[in-house]
Amino acid sequence: MFRNLYSGLTLLRKKYLDTRSYLILASILIGAVTSLAAILLKLFVRQMHRIPEYFFSLTNTHIFYFLLPLAGILLTVLIIRIFFNNHLERGLGNILFSIARKSSRVEKENMYSHIVTSGVTIGFGGSAGLEAPIVITGSAIGSNIATKLGFGYRERSLLLACGAAAGIATVFNSPIAGVIFAFEVLLTDITIPLFIPLLISTATAMVISKLLYTGQLFYLITNTWYYHALPFYVLLGILCGLISVYMTRVTLFLEGFFERRKKILPKALLGGISLGILVFLFPSLFGEGYSLIENLFRGNYNDILRYSMFNFFPASPWTLLAGVVLLILVKVVATSLTLGAGGNGGIFAPALFTGALTGFGTAFAVNSTGIATLHTSNFIAVGMAGIMSGVIHAPLTAIFIIAEITGGYVLFVPLMIVSAISFFISRYFEPYTIYTKNLASKGHLFTDDKDRNILKQLHLDEMIETGGFVAINVTDSFSSLIEAFTKSTRNVFPVVDKENNFIGIIPLGSIKDVMFKPELFETLTVLDVTTQNTVTIDKSEIMEAAIEKFEQSNLWNIPVVDGTKYIGFISRGNIFSYYRRILQKSSAFF
């Protein structure tokens, strides 16, 4: 029934709708579905939070700060094992890989698996955020709907980004930031007309979100910012950049540490217990951490260290400042433990948490010394943008997210200054983000260079040619080569042994003189005229490496091997034909 309905809709679409209109309708559908998924995730986490609240109400002891995060991780690992066959693609790096190397195809299970697993992890106090899971969920929704509606790679990439943008818009109540995130992080090669589906998708998501789930994440009461604070905003930008580098390196180090440990249960226990200890010592690390940010905006600074290890120290401004510094340093550790142990979540909320503390700490320290009088709330908001800009290398996304979620539009100049400084410092020390470093090391990352992006869409195995090439056995006589010449349509002959191991090539031009001397046919062997140690391309290499070999060797045809085995040839002409085909397709949107 559904198949017949789908076929009927496809026929109607081809008859009455052009590609642009169809794309717009698809973006509306994706925005609506993603918004509902994001609302479901937020409601699910709200319900999950009732479990910790129940346990905290039973007793005054804070042992549950230790037990609940551990229980959440173990439960998440169990869910992944039972329902998802021990497989869950965490992090935006997998979405970027899907765009670059999997034709923007995201597995169907990602449309719901992250809602369940991240909800459990964070609902029980895992120190991570919901934003990456909803971006992955939205991307999966966009990718799968695009595939179902019959769109090709380029359209599917755009609709995948529409789902991600709609997810950001719903979670943060920030439609502009959602659109900017899509092209700043996911679609590095985008033209102005492509904004239309993104705008429509996020607008649809916001309409549904407003109808079903109202409320602003934070409230910032400010009327202006003062120019005398400008040097301190510059200082804050520098601090945010350096802390972003620290966060990136700690995350990558702990990620590698846990990846090397293959046994799931010991890894979950190690990470979960370590996380439980940190949360027990610093209860502010429990969950996303948004309640701490709210307290900072309200001026409830003493709540930062409530029930923490600093309760044993005399209360003073410097004790508070020491606790803030320590929280800044350990938040990323808590997040890395949450994710490395098997939990699910993202880095957005930890970046906001750390940024808020960095901004607060800077303003509080300056105010306490009497050097100047700074508006602490402004620095809290701007610090969040600074850390987000440095960690995910997306300054525009950071600026608009903070402006939209706090209502602090008057802070655009400080937001730009701090985000820009943080971005440049972070990128100087760490050219790639947490999401992209591993992809970049493998050559699986899109850039803002259109030529390189098109090359990444070329798959070497699709361009291997075998027809017309006649392989010659290395032990054959020269007469066999002459016979092969009459059958071949190419001017180069691959030479192999009996096991099909590649030995070398015989270019036709190199044997012209010998071909007209029959008296040499019986004395020469194929090996005598074989060019060995020639340039080859392994089938596992990326296209950029293949192009570089063509440029260095100045050859028109290069043999392709699988280890030592001969497969075929790849030619400059074939690469150029594929390149032009993708270029024409990428230019035919709007």
Side-chain angles (χ1 to χ4, degrees):
M1 174 183 174
F2 288 107
R3 187 171 297 176
N4 293 335
L5 178 61
Y6 173 71
S7 300
L9 290 174
T10 303
L11 290 174
L12 288 174
R13 172 250 160 173
K14 290 180 179 178
K15 187 174 181 179
Y16 296 107
L17 293 176
D18 58 18
T19 301
R20 297 180 189 179
S21 302
Y22 195 44
L23 198 61
I24 296 299
L25 291 175
S27 67
I28 294 173
L29 175 61
I30 289 167
V33 175
T34 301
S35 183
L36 292 172
I39 292 169
L40 176 62
L41 176 57
K42 290 196 286 187
L43 291 174
F44 179 53
V45 171
R46 177 183 289 182
Q47 294 301 314
M48 293 300 298
H49 275 315
R50 293 188 176 183
I51 299 174
E53 289 170 1
Y54 170 75
F55 282 107
F56 290 138
S57 68
L58 291 178
T59 175
N60 290 326
T61 181
H62 298 289
I63 190 63
F64 292 113
Y65 280 118
F66 169 77
L67 295 176
L68 288 171
L70 171 60
I73 287 174
L74 292 175
L75 185 56
T76 303
V77 169
L78 184 64
I79 290 171
I80 295 171
R81 182 182 182 88
I82 294 174
F83 296 103
F84 304 112
N85 196 27
N86 275 337
H87 176 71
L88 184 72
E89 294 182 345
R90 299 176 181 86
L92 294 185
N94 288 300
I95 298 299
L96 295 172
F97 178 76
S98 295
I99 296 172
R101 305 299 295 174
K102 295 170 65 177
S103 299
S104 292
R105 296 183 185 275
V106 183
E107 285 77 4
K108 290 180 181 179
E109 66 181 23
N110 285 314
M111 292 191 290
Y112 53 87
S113 59
H114 289 271
I115 293 176
V116 177
T117 55
S118 64
V120 171
T121 298
I122 298 165
F124 274 81
S127 194
L130 294 173
E131 297 76 22
I134 195 55
V135 168
I136 297 171
T137 301
S139 299
I141 290 170
S143 172
N144 283 277
I145 288 179
T147 301
K148 195 67 178 175
L149 295 178
F151 286 109
Y153 166 65
R154 292 289 295 179
E155 295 92 340
R156 186 164 51 247
S157 298
L158 177 58
L159 293 174
L160 177 154
C162 285
I168 290 289
T170 304
V171 168
F172 283 116
N173 195 24
S174 53
I176 298 174
V179 173
I180 292 173
F181 171 83
F183 80 82
E184 198 172 24
V185 177
L186 299 179
L187 300 177
T188 56
D189 179 20
I190 191 170
T191 58
I192 294 300
L194 299 188
F195 273 94
I196 297 172
L198 289 169
L199 290 171
I200 291 174
S201 181
T202 52
T204 303
M206 286 307 302
V207 169
I208 293 176
S209 178
K210 287 290 186 183
L211 289 172
L212 300 179
Y213 196 96
T214 58
Q216 187 167 311
L217 195 56
F218 305 118
Y219 291 92
L220 169 64
I221 302 174
T222 187
N223 296 319
T224 187
W225 67 280
Y226 299 98
Y227 284 95
H228 77 267
L230 187 59
F232 300 103
Y233 282 119
V234 173
L235 172 63
L236 178 60
I238 294 170
L239 289 175
C240 287
L242 295 175
I243 292 170
S244 298
V245 174
Y246 164 77
M247 290 181 69
T248 300
R249 292 184 176 178
V250 168
T251 300
L252 291 172
F253 171 78
L254 289 176
E255 182 181 279
F257 173 83
F258 280 104
E259 281 182 355
R260 290 190 293 271
R261 278 142 185 82
K262 303 301 181 183
K263 294 183 178 180
I264 296 173
L265 183 58
K267 180 164 65 174
L269 288 172
L270 173 63
I273 291 171
S274 302
L275 173 65
I277 293 171
L278 278 181
V279 175
F280 180 78
L281 295 175
F282 297 97
S284 294
L285 299 174
F286 190 89
E288 294 175 283
Y290 287 155
S291 60
L292 178 138
I293 299 174
E294 290 175 4
N295 284 327
L296 288 176
F297 278 128
R298 292 171 182 166
N300 302 330
Y301 306 146
N302 292 328
D303 288 347
I304 298 173
L305 302 180
R306 180 172 291 178
Y307 307 125
S308 75
M309 59 180 284
F310 279 86
N311 280 351
F312 298 102
F313 295 89
S316 73
W318 304 112
T319 300
L320 177 60
L321 193 59
V324 167
V325 171
L326 200 53
L327 271 175
I328 289 171
L329 295 177
V330 300
K331 177 62 176 180
V332 66
V333 177
T335 301
S336 299
L337 290 172
T338 300
L339 304 182
N344 191 13
I347 196 69
F348 273 50
L352 296 179
F353 178 98
T354 306
L357 286 173
T358 303
F360 166 76
T362 302
F364 186 79
V366 171
N367 291 339
S368 297
T369 57
I371 298 173
T373 302
L374 302 179
H375 196 304
T376 305
S377 293
N378 288 0
F379 274 75
I380 293 168
V382 173
M384 290 195 290
I387 295 294
M388 178 172 281
S389 172
V391 169
I392 67 173
H393 289 187
L396 290 177
T397 300
I399 290 168
F400 281 96
I401 276 184
I402 301 307
E404 289 185 288
I405 67 175
T406 64
Y409 295 97
V410 298
L411 297 177
F412 262 120
V413 173
L415 285 169
M416 288 189 289
I417 292 170
V418 173
S419 296
I421 293 173
S422 177
F423 169 75
F424 282 118
I425 290 176
S426 176
R427 188 147 189 180
Y428 176 80
F429 290 104
E430 285 291 339
Y432 299 103
T433 69
I434 294 167
Y435 306 129
T436 61
K437 188 155 189 175
N438 290 333
L439 293 176
S441 66
K442 300 174 184 177
H444 294 158
L445 181 65
F446 275 14
T447 70
D448 54 7
D449 184 331
K450 189 167 186 176
D451 285 336
R452 292 184 67 189
N453 287 344
I454 292 176
L455 286 178
K456 290 180 188 299
Q457 296 176 45
L458 301 178
H459 300 287
L460 191 143
D461 55 352
E462 295 177 353
M463 286 176 280
I464 298 174
E465 301 176 70
T466 56
F469 291 100
V470 179
I472 308 295
N473 193 285
V474 67
T475 60
D476 286 350
S477 65
F478 192 79
S479 301
S480 301
L481 177 60
I482 299 300
E483 183 181 349
F485 170 68
T486 62
K487 299 177 181 178
S488 176
T489 59
R490 307 289 185 147
N491 60 359
V492 63
F493 299 90
V495 180
V496 298
D497 62 15
K498 291 181 180 180
E499 284 76 38
N500 200 44
N501 292 306
F502 180 76
I503 305 299
I505 60 171
I506 302 176
L508 184 60
S510 68
I511 59 170
K512 281 184 178 178
D513 295 338
V514 183
M515 286 176 61
F516 298 103
K517 296 178 180 179
E519 64 276 12
L520 299 177
F521 288 6
E522 298 303 322
T523 58
L524 289 174
T525 65
V526 167
L527 186 61
D528 294 328
V529 293
T530 297
T531 302
Q532 301 185 55
N533 299 320
T534 186
V535 176
T536 60
I537 297 173
D538 194 275
K539 75 168 190 175
S540 62
E541 292 187 67
I542 61 174
M543 279 306 305
E544 286 181 273
I547 294 295
E548 188 174 343
K549 288 186 176 182
F550 272 107
E551 291 177 352
Q552 291 176 350
S553 66
N554 204 30
L555 295 171
W556 283 92
N557 295 282
I558 295 182
V560 180
V561 296
D562 181 7
T564 61
K565 306 296 182 181
Y566 165 73
I567 298 177
F569 277 80
I570 185 171
S571 68
R572 284 177 184 254
N574 214 11
I575 293 175
F576 183 69
S577 296
Y578 273 79
Y579 182 95
R580 278 184 56 83
R581 198 177 307 161
I582 291 176
L583 184 62
Q584 289 170 350
K585 188 175 180 181
S586 67
S587 303
F589 259 147
F590 282 86

